[in-house]
Amino acid sequence: KVVATLYLKKMNQMNRENSRRSDFKKGIDAIEGRRRRDETSISIRKNKRNEGIAKRRAMPVAPPSVMPATIDNDSTTMNDRASANTVESKSVYTVADIPSLKAKISQPNIDDATLLEVVRGFRKILSLEHNPPVNEVLASGVLPVFVQMLQLNDKPQVQFEAAWALTNIASTDETKAIVDAGAVPYFAQLLSSPSAEVREQCAWCLGNIAGDSSALRDIVLSTGAMQPLLNNIVQPDNNSLFGNCVWALSNFCRGKPVPNLSYVAPAVPVLAQILRGKNADAKQDALWALSYVSDGDDDNIQTVLDTGIIDVIIELLDEESNIVTPALRTIGNLVSGNDEQTQAIIDAGLMS
């Protein structure tokens, strides 16, 4: 089998065509290649999470477009929405307000308006662009209260604000605290919420949790979150929901050891459908997801091959660099399969 030779030959060919791909030009052995790939995965995961939370905190106040999106919509962003039903408070909250907010939220008969304002206050504190006081909020003991708010199905605005606050916590090194508080099953359930904005925020938080480590990823997958997430991708209510869920899906598939194939196999046909669409950002996330899924044994590779998407991935090797990198990685994983699988990649036109 000439797996390494085929892969390196293709990469060298593309390097001559585009200098931006020069990082792939060196002839490296299989062990060194896998080490680099693992290190790159870690770097990408951190960059992805940082990018996601920055966009989340920068979310504008203007109501989002509510035009239905489709799986090939080409205008998705993850920061172009806000609550159409939530009136933003004009109050400015700082870390100094944590004690008073904690006192209000601890009242036994707190009214709905006060409850919403308090959780929004905590969310604003946690949405500071630089150095949000996550430890101070956690030290106040309000985390279990946020989790309880996720269960208030008759108060979707409160659910949304609580999920947003938890999302910002999940973007830091304190992600596990949210898992330990028992929030993940409620996030999974809320992926089927009647409120599109609640579904999107919960997908965002689950994406942050799954992207933290393979252990937390497996906890997310074990709650059955995959299928409702896929439902939101196949039939999204709006562009932002679609993009956010595709991003979360890439994190559902990420990490070493790779997730159990039974968890991620249902996502592969959906990922293939995204690649046939027009949304460049979604394609990039979908390709990363496929690179993670295919980085397993022959069964994983066959699951990707069975979608018939290989010719599309090969065509994407001629696209912009942000698409080429995950496409190359996916192809590299696929040609490392058995002889029949390697031949299938060649027959699809890899060397042409």
Side-chain angles (χ1 to χ4, degrees):
K1 189 167 64 173
V2 290
V3 172
T5 302
L6 288 172
Y7 186 35
L8 291 173
K9 182 177 179 181
K10 181 60 179 178
M11 286 193 293
N12 287 331
Q13 176 186 351
M14 294 187 63
N15 288 329
R16 291 191 297 269
E17 297 172 353
N18 191 331
S19 61
R20 291 175 301 177
R21 303 168 200 171
S22 59
D23 289 340
F24 295 93
K25 197 171 184 178
K26 299 176 181 178
I28 54 178
D29 59 31
I31 295 176
E32 177 67 5
R34 184 167 293 277
R35 182 186 69 80
R36 288 189 183 185
R37 183 167 61 192
D38 290 345
E39 290 176 351
T40 302
S41 294
I42 294 172
S43 175
I44 290 167
R45 181 184 69 201
K46 291 179 179 178
N47 291 339
K48 199 69 168 179
R49 291 176 63 222
N50 290 337
E51 175 187 347
I53 195 60
K55 290 183 177 179
R56 189 60 188 88
R57 289 173 183 156
M59 189 181 75
V61 176
S65 168
V66 295
M67 292 182 63
T70 61
I71 204 164
D72 65 346
N73 197 296
D74 62 354
S75 59
T76 302
T77 62
M78 294 198 296
N79 68 332
D80 64 354
R81 70 164 175 87
S83 170
N85 300 315
T86 302
V87 178
E88 281 288 311
S89 169
K90 294 182 179 180
S91 300
V92 176
Y93 290 94
T94 69
V95 66
D97 294 305
I98 292 178
S100 61
L101 290 172
K102 171 65 185 301
K104 290 180 180 179
I105 208 169
S106 300
Q107 295 174 0
N109 298 315
I110 186 171
D111 61 82
D112 290 353
T114 302
L115 177 63
L116 179 59
E117 180 58 30
V118 169
V119 66
R120 184 176 292 149
F122 276 112
R123 181 265 291 170
K124 289 183 176 182
I125 292 172
L126 290 166
S127 296
L128 295 176
E129 184 175 359
H130 301 291
N131 301 318
V134 173
N135 291 331
E136 290 84 346
V137 171
L138 292 177
S140 73
V142 298
L143 183 57
V145 181
F146 291 161
V147 177
Q148 292 175 6
M149 291 179 185
L150 296 178
Q151 305 169 54
L152 302 178
N153 293 329
D154 59 334
K155 298 177 176 62
Q157 292 182 12
V158 172
Q159 288 179 317
F160 170 71
E161 293 287 352
W164 186 347
L166 290 169
T167 298
N168 286 354
I169 295 175
S171 73
T172 70
D173 293 335
E174 299 298 332
T175 310
K176 191 173 183 295
I178 296 176
V179 178
D180 292 341
V184 173
Y186 298 111
F187 280 127
Q189 294 172 15
L190 288 173
L191 290 176
S192 301
S193 167
S195 168
E197 69 174 8
V198 170
R199 297 199 303 273
E200 180 176 356
Q201 196 59 57
C202 290
W204 191 294
C205 193
L206 288 173
N208 277 344
I209 294 171
D212 183 82
S213 67
S214 60
L216 298 190
R217 176 208 66 201
D218 288 345
I219 290 175
V220 170
L221 292 172
S222 69
T223 64
M226 178 64 81
Q227 191 55 55
L229 184 73
L230 295 177
N231 293 342
N232 282 289
I233 294 173
V234 174
Q235 293 183 316
D237 276 22
N238 56 63
N239 297 336
S240 184
L241 175 63
F242 171 73
N244 198 5
C245 288
V246 174
W247 171 81
L249 178 57
S250 71
N251 276 359
F252 278 28
C253 300
R254 174 180 285 143
K256 291 281 192 167
V258 297
N260 190 294
L261 183 58
S262 64
Y263 284 138
V264 297
V268 176
V270 176
L271 293 168
Q273 189 176 353
I274 293 170
L275 292 187
R276 293 187 176 97
K278 300 177 181 178
N279 188 313
D281 290 338
K283 284 183 181 182
Q284 182 181 3
D285 285 328
L287 280 168
W288 280 119
L290 287 174
S291 75
Y292 305 139
V293 173
S294 60
D295 192 13
D297 57 23
D298 289 353
D299 289 339
N300 288 60
I301 291 173
Q302 193 60 46
T303 299
V304 177
L305 291 175
D306 286 343
T307 64
I309 199 65
I310 303 308
D311 57 334
V312 176
I313 298 177
I314 292 174
E315 290 176 2
L316 290 174
L317 293 175
D318 294 326
E319 297 292 329
E320 297 180 358
S321 58
N322 61 346
I323 294 289
V324 168
T325 302
L328 266 175
R329 185 164 299 176
T330 303
I331 293 295
N333 290 337
L334 295 175
V335 299
S336 69
N338 59 43
D339 290 346
E340 291 182 359
Q341 292 169 335
T342 302
Q343 189 61 49
I345 306 301
I346 297 174
D347 294 342
L350 176 62
M351 307 307 296
S352 61

